Amino acid sequence: MAKESLPEWPPQLTEAQVHSLTLLATTYALSHGLVYLPVASVQPPTPTSTIHAPLSLFPSPVPRRLFNQARNLQSLYNKLYARIAMDEVFLDRVMGVNGVGKVDEFTGELWKRWKRLRDEGGVVQSLQLGLFRSDYMVHVPRKDEPANLKQVEFNTISSSFGPLSERSSQLHRYLHASTGYYGASAHLTADKFPPNTTISGLVEGLAEAHRAYNIPDTRILFVVQPGERNVFDQRWLEYELLERHSIHVIRQTFDELSASAHIEATTKALRITLDPSLFSSPSSSTSNSASIEISTIYFRAGYTPTDYPTLAHYDIRYLLESSRAIKCPSIPLQLAGGKKVQEILTKSGVLESFLPEDEHKPHDLTAIRETWMEMWSLDENGDSGVQKARDKALELVLKPQREGGGNNVYKESIPAFLDTLPEAEREAWIAMKLIKTPEGLGNYLVRAGGGGTGLEGAVKTEVVSELGIFGWALFGEKDGERKVVKEKEAGWLVRTKGKESNEGGVAAGFSVLDSIVLVD
């Protein structure tokens, strides 16, 4: 689909209509849990107020064929990254002390603890769970060429905003049902709003791991950051686990786990010791016990160096990794999501080693490859990787081995950054060609506070949107062989940012939550 096939966006509204939509959107968001905790130097232990999450007034147009393509690819990506996580030799070579871990302290500390665990024979749980998100943008290489789908990155840890993205799509359905968007666009019809059931999709993966653990009266542990403002995105998963699957959740930070977590010497079960009065329930046999066994550890923390301010925090991660609980993700699966792995996959023959052609049709591998932009390591062939990045700086983004937004270096900032980057650290960075997104697409972006716009926080601006497809995979050793036990596509999100912004993280303050109107 050529750029010209995308409609002019957003549809034209009067100032009164913008006011009306903004009021409807923000009150709906506050009424339906599309919310954040407000900014505070220290979050109170018991929240007393919320603000609506950053949002768009209109869903963003996405070609139907590209949306379907992204969803169809997710199963292949689920299998690909599960198999990478099970390939110790590959990860040791790429991310270990002779690879990225040699020059990137964060990666190195994680890898060293995984290696220590293997050397000590301490891997007692062969099953792993991945809750994934594959992020894409619509790429328009030239005006006269069809648009295509290009992958930004693949996330293997703390793949967030699934629940709030479902709320965001419900918000746009509500605005359409209540106002018809004032007849502003023929594209805005109910059949163009795709369903979004990301909460149940992600929870199905967590529940599958819990059932595979198969010990009564266990709970799922959410490892969280202190003072988390995006807590409601996590709580919706917790509510669904309890209401749909009767599975309880415990939330703990790394610091809390340093006092509460211990591992049984014989069974290697992870147990959390807590105040027993907090768990009194006539339906639970653990009601008089302060020690709760954990079936599955779901990390919503641990993806950034700031989550490990001391070596003792890495040791807490090691303790959790050495338990019998199923990890989501394990350390190897977290390492598999590194940008260096994404770059290595583009090299000849690497993809086939994980998705052999006797298992997959050749066009499956072609379909994956066609989503990749050109990328290379800065340490490629001595100085040539750096020189190439200098020569093409205005077409590039440089990426380190980090998640969470705000870490990349873009275009005109690249030459000065390369001047200061030590040669020894080049291996930890990749260069990637920038995706050329459609021109002329806009939206109304609404953030709590409004910024003095006079439109209740709605700001009309040219935008770039990023489509994320969620999936999950339960994998590991079963029946004597390493395999993907079960996997599924699990929903989607859209994040939209002003075109002047390079970064895309919602929690980092760059993007707003959006949804989709399909364009044929």
Side-chain angles (χ1 to χ4, degrees):
M1 177 173 294
K3 180 187 75 173
E4 290 76 13
S5 298
L6 290 171
E8 290 188 12
W9 212 255
Q12 294 298 311
L13 296 177
T14 67
E15 185 172 319
Q17 288 169 338
V18 174
H19 273 289
S20 176
L21 278 180
T22 305
L23 177 60
L24 290 171
T26 55
T27 51
Y28 183 95
L30 290 166
S31 301
H32 290 78
L34 181 53
V35 291
Y36 270 8
L37 290 178
V39 176
S41 54
V42 178
Q43 291 292 343
T46 304
T48 57
S49 62
T50 64
I51 58 173
H52 67 79
L55 54 89
S56 65
L57 287 189
F58 285 92
S60 286
V62 174
R64 186 187 297 271
R65 66 176 178 86
L66 298 185
F67 178 64
N68 290 337
Q69 179 189 353
R71 295 185 64 191
N72 292 336
L73 282 172
Q74 189 60 36
S75 182
L76 288 170
Y77 271 116
N78 291 343
K79 295 172 187 174
L80 172 61
Y81 276 86
R83 289 176 176 177
I84 292 171
M86 292 187 284
D87 192 328
E88 296 172 359
V89 174
F90 175 82
L91 286 175
D92 284 346
R93 175 171 60 86
V94 176
M95 303 298 280
V97 290
N98 293 317
V100 173
K102 174 178 61 180
V103 296
D104 184 272
E105 182 181 5
F106 173 57
T107 300
E109 291 295 339
L110 289 174
W111 181 86
K112 281 188 286 188
R113 280 154 182 80
W114 177 46
K115 181 69 163 57
R116 172 186 160 195
L117 189 63
R118 288 181 285 154
D119 289 345
E120 296 173 351
V123 180
V124 294
Q125 177 55 261
S126 64
L127 287 178
Q128 305 178 47
L129 176 68
L131 294 189
F132 303 133
R133 195 186 70 227
S134 186
D135 292 333
Y136 304 93
M137 286 182 176
V138 174
H139 178 58
V140 184
R142 292 181 196 83
K143 210 178 346 183
D144 55 344
E145 291 184 7
N148 53 63
L149 196 68
K150 293 297 183 182
Q151 187 182 61
V152 178
E153 62 184 359
F154 192 89
N155 302 276
T156 64
I157 182 169
S158 190
S159 303
S160 59
F161 290 108
L164 292 195
S165 71
E166 182 174 326
R167 291 284 178 264
S168 183
S169 60
Q170 290 169 347
L171 162 67
H172 289 140
R173 283 180 174 274
Y174 159 74
L175 291 177
H176 178 260
S178 61
T179 70
Y181 279 104
Y182 309 110
S185 173
H187 291 279
L188 292 166
T189 58
D191 61 310
K192 301 291 182 65
F193 292 71
N196 191 348
T197 56
T198 304
I199 296 174
S200 62
L202 293 173
V203 164
E204 183 183 6
L206 289 165
E208 194 74 29
H210 179 83
R211 285 191 291 270
Y213 192 80
N214 197 29
I215 294 179
D217 299 318
T218 55
R219 301 190 176 197
I220 292 178
L221 170 66
F222 281 22
V223 182
V224 299
Q225 294 173 327
E228 174 64 79
R229 292 181 59 218
N230 192 27
V231 62
F232 301 102
D233 186 60
Q234 302 166 11
R235 289 289 188 181
W236 283 116
L237 299 176
E238 178 182 340
Y239 303 152
E240 180 84 1
L241 280 164
L242 184 60
E243 295 166 9
R244 185 72 64 89
H245 301 276
S246 299
I247 299 172
H248 291 260
V249 166
I250 294 172
R251 295 172 57 84
Q252 294 263 283
T253 65
F254 277 128
D255 285 334
E256 289 169 332
L257 288 166
S258 68
S260 66
H262 67 279
I263 296 178
E264 291 183 346
T266 54
T267 68
K268 297 299 181 180
L270 174 64
R271 303 193 76 91
I272 307 296
T273 302
L274 298 168
D275 182 346
S277 68
L278 300 177
F279 297 94
S280 57
S281 168
S283 63
S284 174
S285 62
T286 62
S287 59
N288 295 315
S289 172
S291 182
I292 310 298
E293 184 172 352
I294 299 301
S295 69
T296 305
I297 308 169
Y298 174 44
F299 287 95
R300 289 297 290 258
Y303 57 85
T304 174
T306 56
D307 287 335
Y308 304 91
T310 70
L311 290 178
H313 289 80
Y314 286 104
D315 290 337
I316 296 166
R317 179 69 183 271
Y318 172 85
L319 177 77
L320 300 177
E321 196 76 16
S322 66
S323 76
R324 192 173 67 186
I326 296 172
K327 272 67 72 175
C328 179
S330 64
I331 290 177
L333 182 55
Q334 181 173 345
L335 294 175
K339 304 300 185 295
K340 184 66 175 179
V341 171
Q342 185 182 8
E343 180 253 325
I344 292 291
L345 282 172
T346 66
K347 297 185 179 299
S348 176
V350 178
L351 180 62
E352 289 85 353
S353 70
F354 293 108
L355 298 177
E357 291 187 1
D358 59 346
E359 293 182 22
H360 299 87
K361 298 174 182 176
H363 67 72
D364 287 340
L365 303 188
T366 299
I368 288 180
R369 278 202 183 86
E370 286 178 347
T371 66
W372 294 341
M373 296 296 289
E374 180 186 357
M375 60 187 85
W376 64 90
S377 173
L378 290 184
D379 71 333
E380 183 176 88
N381 299 325
D383 291 333
S384 67
V386 169
Q387 188 57 50
K388 188 176 176 182
R390 288 185 185 278
D391 294 343
K392 299 187 175 185
L394 295 181
E395 306 170 30
L396 300 178
V397 53
L398 304 185
K399 295 184 176 184
Q401 312 302 308
R402 296 290 180 270
E403 304 298 335
N407 302 300
N408 299 334
V409 182
Y410 291 85
K411 296 187 290 190
E412 60 273 356
S413 300
I414 288 175
F417 172 78
L418 292 174
D419 289 340
T420 63
L421 181 67
E423 184 176 348
E425 296 180 18
R426 291 176 182 174
E427 190 172 0
W429 288 79
I430 70 164
M432 175 177 163
K433 277 207 167 182
L434 286 167
I435 298 167
K436 296 181 180 179
T437 55
E439 300 285 342
L441 295 180
N443 211 322
Y444 291 91
L445 310 185
V446 185
R447 293 181 172 87
T453 63
L455 290 173
E456 303 294 326
V459 177
K460 185 179 180 182
T461 186
E462 191 172 354
V463 299
V464 174
S465 295
E466 192 168 313
L467 169 67
I469 305 294
F470 291 97
W472 63 265
L474 182 67
F475 60 94
E477 189 170 320
K478 192 173 177 65
D479 303 326
E481 62 177 298
R482 290 184 171 186
K483 60 184 180 181
V484 179
V485 178
K486 194 171 184 180
E487 60 79 24
K488 282 190 178 181
E489 183 253 321
W492 53 270
L493 69 72
V494 177
R495 292 169 297 170
T496 291
K497 64 184 180 183
K499 197 151 192 177
E500 73 284 351
S501 172
N502 285 319
E503 295 288 354
V506 177
F510 303 108
S511 296
V512 306
L513 293 169
D514 198 348
S515 75
I516 292 171
V517 56
L518 295 172
V519 179
D520 293 306

